[in-house]
Amino acid sequence: MAKKKNILDFRKMKKQGEQVAWVTAYDFPTASFAEQAGMDMLLVGDSLGMVVLGYQSTVPVTMEDCLRHCQAVRRGAPGTFVVGDMPFLSYQISDEDAVRNAGRFVKEAEVDCIKLEGGVRVATRIKAIADAGILVMGHIGLTPQSSGQLGGHKAQGRDTASARAVIEDALAVQAAGAALLLVEAVPPEVTAFIAKLLMIPVYSIGAGPCDGQLLISADLLGKFEAFTPKFVKKYANVAEVETDAFKAYIADVRAGRFPGEEHVYRVIDPLEEFEKLFREFAK
Ligand code: KIV
């Protein structure tokens, strides 16, 4: 197994122009397959609310949901850098709350880093968490927890006023002590500028080339059918594979083809003994 990467490796990779590849994971098997594939990093995103729990948005996701899924991912990928995503209202209320909840991710789920959404307006939260000794990843651009304020899941930084706000957010995140930054749904020109401007590694989801790329595993694998953002590249159609397998199973059960001889446990005592037993109960 390759050595687990840490923040020093990610800084070195940025310096050397080496790309970081990472995906979201929410469960033990996905985490384990991603680690076996050689993924650099995993995010247990609050997108779990939509792609795993079936909510309409990430807003209903709780700390308990996130911790439970982080624990499963940690068990599935013990040798991979895991980022825990702070859910809505776990850091918005106060710096104290933010530190307490970030600490729970580290203590209870053994994540390597936490991520929270926002730039300038969460700078004191980032500083408080980083001052507590916890690695922080910022998340700017399209921030799904505040998509209501953004008018929906809309790309950011497409005009100069919006690009200015994204760049100011990036600078605020770094100045507050974040170790990593994720930029979502921003034009590649703006992301490339930010990646050059900042010392810390800058990763993209739907924001073009920079120091590394993130995709939501359910999108990449073709497991989430509600909608597919423009920036997704689909590498498999697991929904089709699963549906076809379920259809074949239903057909086999209904036709009496399953279970077959190879799927049953044979008795080890003589059959006559069993017949005697059955007669005893049938009386
Ligand atoms: O929750 C998540 O998966 C995320 C990505 C959209 C970046 O935060």
Side-chain angles (χ1 to χ4, degrees), residues 24 26 43 45-47 85 115 139 144 182 184 205 214 216:
T24 62
Y26 315 99
L43 169 67
D46 63 351
S47 52
D85 204 9
K115 172 173 90 59
H139 177 174
L182 175 67
E184 177 166 358
I205 176 162
L214 167 70
I216 292 193

Side-chain angles (χ1 to χ4, degrees), residues 22-26 43-49 51 58 85-86 115 117 137 139 142-145 153 182-184 204-205 214-217 219 231:
W22 56 309
V23 290
T24 62
Y26 315 99
L43 169 67
V44 186
D46 63 351
S47 52
L48 78 90
V51 304
T58 58
D85 204 9
M86 296 194 70
K115 172 173 90 59
E117 295 183 7
M137 175 184 286
H139 177 174
L142 168 53
T143 45
Q145 289 173 14
H153 285 76
L182 175 67
V183 182
E184 177 166 358
S204 150
I205 176 162
L214 167 70
L215 276 180
I216 292 193
S217 54
D219 289 335
F231 58 76

Side-chain angles (χ1 to χ4, degrees), residues 217-240:
S217 54
D219 289 335
L220 175 165
L221 295 170
K223 281 176 86 169
F224 183 64
E225 295 182 307
F227 66 90
T228 306
K230 172 186 165 66
F231 58 76
V232 169
K233 181 169 175 185
K234 218 165 151 178
Y235 287 83
N237 195 339
V238 172
E240 199 175 287

Side-chain angles (χ1 to χ4, degrees), residues 113-183:
C113 177
I114 61 87
K115 172 173 90 59
L116 76 176
E117 295 183 7
V120 172
R121 68 179 174 186
V122 296
T124 68
R125 307 288 190 270
I126 293 174
K127 179 169 174 10
I129 298 169
D131 284 350
I134 297 168
L135 275 179
V136 181
M137 175 184 286
H139 177 174
I140 61 167
L142 168 53
T143 45
Q145 289 173 14
S146 45
S147 60
Q149 286 182 328
L150 303 176
H153 285 76
K154 294 220 164 12
Q156 303 296 303
R158 297 183 79 185
D159 58 49
T160 50
S162 172
R164 175 185 292 278
V166 175
I167 293 165
E168 283 169 358
D169 277 341
L171 288 169
V173 164
Q174 176 172 268
L180 301 153
L181 175 65
L182 175 67
V183 182

Side-chain angles (χ1 to χ4, degrees), residues 57-71:
S57 77
T58 58
V59 167
V61 175
T62 64
M63 273 298 295
E64 263 51 49
D65 292 332
C66 289
L67 290 172
R68 177 61 60 89
H69 286 273
C70 281
Q71 288 160 351

